């Protein structure tokens, strides 16, 4: 799909949206369960908390983390990395444990990083098409979005994957939302949102936001994920290559998004936080920004 060349510009007199910071979601790894317990008072009750599927972590640890999320009064959303699942039996075992022990009803399905699948699932669509999600009572599926593209996947393929997933999820009667890779610049995000809506995808969108962290940490994650970090973007976000150990937060990015996004035009858009600088630091930032 062709992308717009113009960033959305709010009309004079438009009301600034204040809903983005409401109903936000946040991400943890299986190792972050203890940190989540310590930061529980900084995160709104009922917040959707995603538990990632990282290499080197065992299934029981991922299930235990999801169970802890549930026990703390949040909504656990377990990631499924399709190419890291070694067999259909392994996926069934994982889903069964998530549902029986953590009362999971939401998952987030992504292809994953391996160049070649370790089992029968080549991508997220293969997991969705398997029929196993609904077999185990999953009612909502998160899928990924890439406003600035993917370092290994072309934009036409990304657009096809998005619309194909929507088609099969709707066919199966499963609810879904789209969570994006994190960004430093609102302009490509807003253009992408407009293109998503033009493509007929009207599901809730969760825009990836990097939580406050050192400039060095943010740059490391950006390089790993292929996120745009031109000098102009860095300055706009508040990053300085000469101050690698200083901290930077997403204040300007969130303000730009709130100004640009009009619910009547862009639909249901929320924020999804990647707590690169730690859960407590991200939780404190959200609490202060929300005041």
């Amino acid at each position: 799909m062709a992308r717009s060349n113009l960033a959305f510009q709010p009309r004079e007199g438009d009301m600034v949206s204040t809903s983005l910071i409401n109903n936000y979601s946040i991400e943890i790894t299986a190792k972050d369960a203890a940190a989540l317990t310590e930061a529980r008072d900084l995160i709104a009750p009922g917040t959707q908390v995603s538990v990632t599927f990282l290499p080197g972590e065992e299934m029981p640890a991922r299930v235990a983390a999801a169970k802890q999320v549930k026990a703390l009064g949040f909504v656990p959303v377990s990631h499924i990395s399709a190419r890291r699942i070694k067999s259909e039996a392994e996926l069934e075992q994982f889903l069964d444990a998530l549902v029986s022990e953590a009362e999971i009803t939401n998952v987030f399905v992504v292809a994953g990083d391996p160049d070649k699948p370790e089992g029968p699932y080549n991508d997220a669509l293969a997991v969705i098409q398997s029929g196993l999600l609904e077999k185990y009572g999953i009612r909502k599926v998160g899928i990924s979005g890439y406003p600035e593209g993917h370092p290994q996947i072309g934009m036409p393929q990304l657009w096809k994957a998005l619309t194909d997933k929507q088609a099969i999820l709707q066919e199966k009667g499963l609810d879904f939302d789209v969570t994006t890779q994190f960004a430093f610049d609102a302009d490509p995000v807003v253009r992408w949102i407009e293109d998503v809506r033009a493509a007929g995808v009207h599901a809730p969108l969760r825009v990836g936001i990097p939580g406050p962290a050192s400039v060095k940490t943010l740059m490391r994650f950006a390089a790993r994920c292929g996120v745009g970090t031109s000098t102009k973007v860095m300055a706009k976000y508040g990053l300085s290559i000469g101050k690698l150990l200083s901290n930077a937060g997403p204040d300007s990015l969130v303000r730009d998004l709130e100004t640009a996004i009009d619910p009547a035009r862009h639909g249901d858009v929320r924020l999804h936080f990647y707590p690169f600088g730690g859960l407590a630091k991200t939780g404190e930032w959200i609490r202060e920004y929300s005041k």
Side-chain angles (χ1 to χ4, degrees), residues 121-190:
Y121 306 108
N122 184 59
D123 53 24
L125 187 61
V127 171
I128 294 169
Q129 290 176 318
S130 72
L132 294 179
L133 301 181
E134 59 267 40
K135 175 182 176 179
Y136 284 89
I138 300 302
R139 297 196 294 270
K140 184 174 182 180
V141 178
I143 58 178
S144 54
Y146 300 91
E148 296 181 87
H150 189 286
Q152 296 175 323
I153 306 174
M155 287 304 295
Q157 187 178 349
L158 289 174
W159 281 112
K160 186 177 187 304
L162 180 60
T163 54
D164 284 352
K165 289 172 192 174
Q166 172 176 255
I168 190 67
L169 287 165
Q170 290 179 333
E171 180 182 312
K172 291 176 173 291
L174 294 173
D175 195 9
F176 76 103
D177 59 16
V178 183
T179 299
T180 79
Q181 179 59 275
F182 73 93
F184 293 130
D185 187 359
D187 286 349
V189 173
V190 176

Side-chain angles (χ1 to χ4, degrees):
M1 176 179 175
R3 297 182 66 177
S4 168
N5 290 322
L6 298 176
F8 170 68
Q9 295 296 324
R11 300 177 298 270
E12 184 176 355
D14 273 352
M15 294 295 292
V16 173
S17 169
T18 58
S19 63
L20 291 186
I21 200 70
N22 297 327
N23 299 315
Y24 66 86
S25 52
I26 197 165
E27 194 157 295
I28 68 169
T29 71
K31 297 177 182 178
D32 290 329
L36 182 63
T37 301
E38 294 176 1
R40 62 188 300 180
D41 293 336
L42 297 170
I43 300 171
T47 292
Q48 184 171 295
V49 178
S50 295
V51 181
T52 60
F53 196 113
L54 297 181
E57 294 177 345
E58 300 295 329
M59 291 289 186
R62 299 181 184 119
V63 173
K67 186 176 181 180
Q68 180 71 354
V69 169
K70 180 75 172 181
L72 292 172
F74 306 120
V75 177
V77 180
S78 285
H79 286 209
I80 297 174
S81 181
R83 292 178 184 172
R84 295 190 187 280
I85 299 293
K86 295 178 174 57
S87 67
E88 181 178 303
E90 182 180 275
L91 178 56
E92 291 212 54
Q93 182 181 15
F94 187 38
L95 288 169
D96 183 58
L98 288 172
V99 172
S100 62
E101 297 183 36
E103 301 178 28
I104 284 278
T105 58
N106 299 5
V107 295
F108 180 85
V109 186
V110 66
D113 295 330
D115 292 332
K116 295 183 179 179
E118 298 173 10
Y121 306 108
N122 184 59
D123 53 24
L125 187 61
V127 171
I128 294 169
Q129 290 176 318
S130 72
L132 294 179
L133 301 181
E134 59 267 40
K135 175 182 176 179
Y136 284 89
I138 300 302
R139 297 196 294 270
K140 184 174 182 180
V141 178
I143 58 178
S144 54
Y146 300 91
E148 296 181 87
H150 189 286
Q152 296 175 323
I153 306 174
M155 287 304 295
Q157 187 178 349
L158 289 174
W159 281 112
K160 186 177 187 304
L162 180 60
T163 54
D164 284 352
K165 289 172 192 174
Q166 172 176 255
I168 190 67
L169 287 165
Q170 290 179 333
E171 180 182 312
K172 291 176 173 291
L174 294 173
D175 195 9
F176 76 103
D177 59 16
V178 183
T179 299
T180 79
Q181 179 59 275
F182 73 93
F184 293 130
D185 187 359
D187 286 349
V189 173
V190 176
R191 287 198 298 269
W192 178 84
I193 291 172
E194 293 178 349
D195 288 344
V196 167
R197 298 314 189 200
V201 178
H202 300 294
L205 303 178
R206 295 183 178 273
V207 176
I209 301 293
S214 72
V215 174
K216 183 178 181 180
T217 296
L218 293 172
M219 295 297 290
R220 184 176 75 249
F221 278 103
R224 182 184 304 173
C225 300
V227 172
T229 55
S230 67
T231 302
K232 180 180 178 181
V233 168
M234 290 170 60
K236 187 175 182 180
Y237 188 82
L239 300 176
S240 171
I241 196 68
K243 299 180 180 179
L244 292 180
L245 299 182
S246 64
N247 287 326
D251 302 66
S252 60
L253 172 59
V254 174
R255 284 195 298 267
D256 287 347
L257 288 169
E258 287 178 333
T259 300
I261 291 174
D262 175 8
R265 179 177 181 180
H266 299 104
D268 187 349
V269 181
R270 310 173 189 183
L271 303 182
H272 178 78
F273 287 92
Y274 295 90
F276 298 135
L279 280 166
K281 188 177 291 186
T282 298
E284 289 169 355
W285 183 92
I286 294 171
R287 184 175 63 181
E288 290 302 310
Y289 189 89
S290 301
K291 289 182 177 178

